[in-house]
Amino acid sequence: QVQLVESGGGLVQPGGSLRLSCATSGSIRSIVSMAWYRQAPGKQRDLVASITSGGRTMYPDSVKGRFTISRDHAKNRVDLQMNSLKPEDTAVYYCYIVTTRENSWGQGTQVTVSS
């Protein structure tokens, strides 16, 4: 079973930047895609960014141009660079992996954008 551990969250001022990392461990077979989701209090969990095994990325309009997802194939790690952060980006951010055998979530990391 794949385990995911996120890191890099914290408190940042509006306009600032953060970089989230998601480390994987366990038995990993044929990754199909990796992604970041976020969930604010009282709201549903939404996709923030995704990257396929072939490197194709996708972003919703709310973060396009500000967030960048990248993957280290050798380490099976996925990062999320977040720039020009806004208060509405405040949420718990979750890493998500899809393989040919299973899907797994990380435990989440809190990102708070506030002055």
Side-chain angles (χ1 to χ4, degrees):
Q1 185 176 0
V2 178
Q3 291 85 43
L4 306 175
V5 178
E6 302 97 334
S7 62
L11 174 64
V12 63
Q13 293 186 343
S17 298
L18 279 177
R19 188 176 184 88
L20 305 182
S21 290
C22 175
T24 65
S25 62
S27 178
I28 299 174
R29 298 286 187 270
S30 301
I31 295 176
V32 175
S33 65
M34 299 183 77
W36 287 93
Y37 284 74
R38 67 185 180 188
Q39 187 168 21
K43 296 189 176 181
Q44 67 181 21
R45 190 172 296 188
D46 291 327
L47 177 69
V48 174
S50 66
I51 185 166
T52 67
S53 59
R56 183 174 181 177
T57 59
M58 184 174 66
Y59 306 91
D61 289 343
S62 59
V63 306
K64 197 173 293 182
R66 300 189 297 124
F67 291 10
T68 302
I69 189 170
S70 60
R71 181 183 161 192
D72 184 325
H73 288 263
K75 299 180 179 179
N76 280 328
R77 191 185 78 194
V78 64
D79 294 342
L80 183 69
Q81 178 66 42
M82 305 186 294
N83 299 326
S84 302
L85 283 162
K86 305 175 181 180
E88 51 263 43
D89 294 319
T90 295
V92 177
Y93 283 70
Y94 297 90
C95 182
Y96 181 64
I97 187 171
V98 177
T99 75
T100 56
R101 297 180 63 180
E102 63 184 294
N103 302 342
S104 294
W105 290 96
Q107 83 288 350
T109 184
Q110 177 69 46
V111 171
T112 302
V113 185
S114 175
S115 55

